[in-house]
Amino acid sequence: DVVLTQTPPTLSATIGQSVSISCRSSQSLLHSNGNTYLHWLLQRPGQSPQLLIYSVSRLESGVPNRFSGSGSGTDFTLKISGVEAEDLGVYYCVQGTHAPLTFGSGTKLEIK
Amino acid sequence: AVQLVESGGGLVQPKESLKISCAASGFTFSNAAMYWVRQAPGKGLEWVARIRTKPNNYATYYADSVKGRFTISRDDSKSMVYLQMDNLKTEDTAMYYCTAGGYNWGQGVMVTVSS
């Protein structure tokens, strides 16, 4: 199975600060069809995961544009430009290029 | 809108069985490989079982931790996916989610295995 290494495990940010989370894959996530199935999820406390970014950089409908995704191949980044209080929770990267679905270990974002 | 609704969780004793279900809507269910993913309390997300589509003979795959004990199945006529869990262990205690490609998630269903 593909291993996703996510860093850092925890982040502490003030409101308005910009932060980044890294997700590195054990193999390229470029599918033979030309797409890259690397997504970002947010799990708020007590809630189920929700999709923020899909296919590396596409913003899910309804997600604020302070969230952005970038990367290619094996290295990917989620950036939050101006953290808000509602952004606290655990962020996961997930890949669907190579079955089965695998997940990063998560990054817990705390608000100072 | 895509909707996934899991049901059937509960408290069972070790070695007992439980079957959980997931009702899907808002997308062409028969075209989608489906997963069960679980999350133990305070832990991360872990894939448990996967079932492919009819053209792929409904092939099934399991994480090593559940192989031989869990069975995933689907009913395309009802847009339902199921997980039959036998010989449950305390380490199977988790919230169980169904998902297609990791895009959409339901509220999950809690399975607690305890004596």
Side-chain angles (χ1 to χ4, degrees):
Chain A
D1 297 357
V2 172
V3 175
L4 297 179
T5 302
Q6 198 176 327
T7 56
T10 60
L11 265 177
S12 185
T14 55
I15 301 298
Q17 183 180 350
S18 292
V19 298
S20 292
I21 300 169
S22 170
C23 180
R24 291 188 170 174
S25 174
S26 60
Q27 57 185 278
S28 175
L29 298 184
L30 177 64
H31 194 278
S32 56
N33 65 11
N35 294 323
T36 300
Y37 298 99
L38 186 283
H39 321 309
W40 291 95
L41 310 173
L42 166 59
Q43 187 173 33
R44 293 189 171 98
Q47 296 186 16
S48 57
Q50 67 174 97
L51 184 67
L52 295 176
I53 301 276
Y54 63 97
S55 299
V56 181
S57 59
R58 300 183 180 188
L59 198 65
E60 171 70 348
S61 176
V63 174
N65 60 12
R66 63 179 178 273
F67 292 94
S68 62
S70 63
S72 64
T74 60
D75 288 350
F76 303 91
T77 301
L78 174 71
K79 182 176 181 180
I80 310 174
S81 300
V83 167
E84 297 194 6
E86 65 182 19
D87 298 338
L88 72 90
V90 181
Y91 292 80
Y92 294 96
C93 55
V94 51
Q95 71 82 27
T97 296
H98 304 288
L101 280 180
T102 52
F103 302 86
S105 54
T107 295
K108 184 175 184 179
L109 176 62
E110 301 171 338
I111 306 298
K112 288 180 184 176
Chain B
V2 172
Q3 194 169 16
L4 297 164
V5 179
E6 300 91 344
S7 61
L11 172 63
V12 296
Q13 296 192 342
K15 300 186 180 181
E16 290 188 340
S17 297
L18 191 66
K19 187 174 185 177
I20 57 177
S21 304
C22 170
S25 60
F27 64 103
T28 307
F29 179 81
S30 59
N31 290 349
M34 295 298 297
Y35 285 85
W36 283 99
V37 172
R38 70 183 179 184
Q39 186 173 38
K43 301 297 185 182
L45 299 164
E46 172 194 28
W47 85 280
V48 171
R50 169 190 174 219
I51 186 166
R52 298 185 71 179
T53 58
K54 184 177 181 180
N56 294 291
N57 297 314
Y58 298 121
T60 57
Y61 307 85
Y62 301 92
D64 288 343
S65 56
V66 307
K67 201 171 293 182
R69 301 187 298 120
F70 288 13
T71 304
I72 187 172
S73 60
R74 64 190 295 162
D75 184 339
D76 289 348
S77 69
K78 296 180 180 179
S79 297
M80 296 286 294
V81 60
Y82 306 97
L83 187 67
Q84 174 68 44
M85 302 180 287
D86 298 322
N87 190 20
L88 281 159
K89 304 178 179 181
T90 55
E91 53 263 41
D92 295 319
T93 294
M95 186 72 80
Y96 286 74
Y97 300 98
C98 67
T99 184
Y103 299 97
N104 301 99
W105 299 77
Q107 83 288 350
V109 63
M110 188 66 201
V111 173
T112 303
V113 185
S114 175
S115 55

